[in-house]
Amino acid sequence: MNPLIHVVDDDEAMRKSLCWLIGSVGLETQSYASADEFIANFVDDRPACLLLDIRMPGLSGLDLQEALSNLNTAIPIIFLTGHGDVPIAVRAFKGGAFDFLQKPCNDQILLDRINDAIKYHQKKRDEQSEITALKQLVNSLTRREYQVAESVSHGLQNKEIAKKLGISPKTVEVYRHNALQKMHADSTAELTRLWMLAELHGGLKNNTNIS
């Protein structure tokens, strides 16, 4: 899906100028006169970047940044303002801003940062898709497969797992084989990597499926 550049600025002339510049390099834009208008229309369904003014009627740019953070969206924000100062810039970066540029900004610098932001957002979206798929694979495991996979990821051998779970080593091998297949892992090392990744992103919970 093609990326979309959102432009939020209460200055109509500035909005038109930015949209013309961005459109001149083949990128699609959508402009908004206020943060409230953006929130009412924003759909986080494609690679994107947000060019955001600081001082606007209603919600400020920093207020919008906080609102988006509460929505857990990874859209990168480039603040573009004529009213920037150090405390505001610090607050913006602490809130996760991708960049903070002063108006007027060099056209090429702005376009370069927009392209960087799009690549960043695409990478984040790809990572999130991988995590979502991984969680689904974990949820496909039965209770015993889950227990065996977890034990394998902790470095336990079949005999140790068998003793821990009160089953035979041969049965452990069956569950281990099934877990590897369901997790699309071609080795114990790959299963361990996937398990650690799922654990890092909160994808591991007690599996209640019947073995």
Side-chain angles (χ1 to χ4, degrees):
M1 187 175 290
N2 293 331
L4 176 62
I5 313 305
H6 302 277
V7 179
V8 182
D9 198 307
D10 62 314
D11 185 329
E12 183 179 3
M14 178 58 68
R15 292 198 306 274
K16 289 182 177 179
S17 176
L18 288 170
C19 288
W20 179 87
L21 173 65
I22 298 166
S24 70
V25 294
L27 292 172
E28 183 181 349
T29 62
Q30 179 66 52
S31 65
Y32 315 83
S34 68
D36 294 288
E37 183 183 352
F38 172 80
I39 290 176
N41 293 278
F42 175 60
V43 179
D44 189 12
D45 64 349
R46 60 199 290 190
C49 170
L50 171 58
L51 293 187
L52 182 57
D53 193 15
I54 291 284
R55 296 182 183 176
M56 298 178 289
L59 290 177
S60 71
L62 293 173
D63 291 334
L64 177 54
Q65 180 188 35
E66 183 177 353
L68 290 173
S69 177
N70 292 335
L71 292 174
N72 293 320
T73 175
I75 183 171
I77 298 174
I78 298 176
F79 283 101
L80 189 61
T81 178
H83 305 284
D85 56 32
V86 173
I88 290 177
V90 169
R91 180 180 168 188
F93 280 117
K94 282 187 175 180
F98 188 81
D99 211 338
F100 190 98
L101 303 175
Q102 290 275 10
K103 298 175 183 176
C105 177
N106 177 275
D107 289 351
Q108 192 57 55
I109 290 176
L110 177 59
L111 292 174
D112 287 345
R113 294 308 286 152
I114 288 173
N115 280 317
D116 290 342
I118 291 171
K119 291 176 183 177
Y120 169 84
H121 194 212
Q122 182 62 66
K123 181 180 178 181
K124 287 294 182 182
R125 287 170 58 82
D126 291 344
E127 289 174 352
Q128 187 55 54
S129 296
E130 181 183 0
I131 296 304
T132 299
L134 181 55
K135 289 179 179 180
Q136 292 174 345
L137 294 180
V138 171
N139 288 333
S140 74
L141 301 177
T142 66
R143 179 173 59 88
R144 279 301 194 203
E145 289 165 355
Y146 183 101
Q147 291 171 333
V148 169
E150 183 176 47
S151 297
V152 167
S153 72
H154 291 164
L156 298 184
Q157 300 299 313
N158 285 358
K159 289 184 178 180
E160 297 172 304
I161 298 172
K163 183 177 181 181
K164 175 184 175 183
L165 299 181
I167 56 180
S168 71
K170 183 173 291 188
T171 302
V172 169
E173 184 57 41
V174 172
Y175 286 129
R176 182 175 185 148
H177 174 76
N178 291 345
L180 283 165
Q181 283 196 321
K182 288 186 177 181
M183 293 291 291
H184 299 169
D186 55 12
S187 66
T188 297
E190 177 64 7
L191 175 64
T192 300
R193 184 190 73 81
L194 293 172
W195 203 264
M196 291 176 65
L197 184 61
E199 186 174 43
L200 178 64
H201 292 276
L204 299 184
K205 298 180 180 179
N206 290 329
N207 193 302
T208 57
N209 291 337
I210 298 175
S211 62

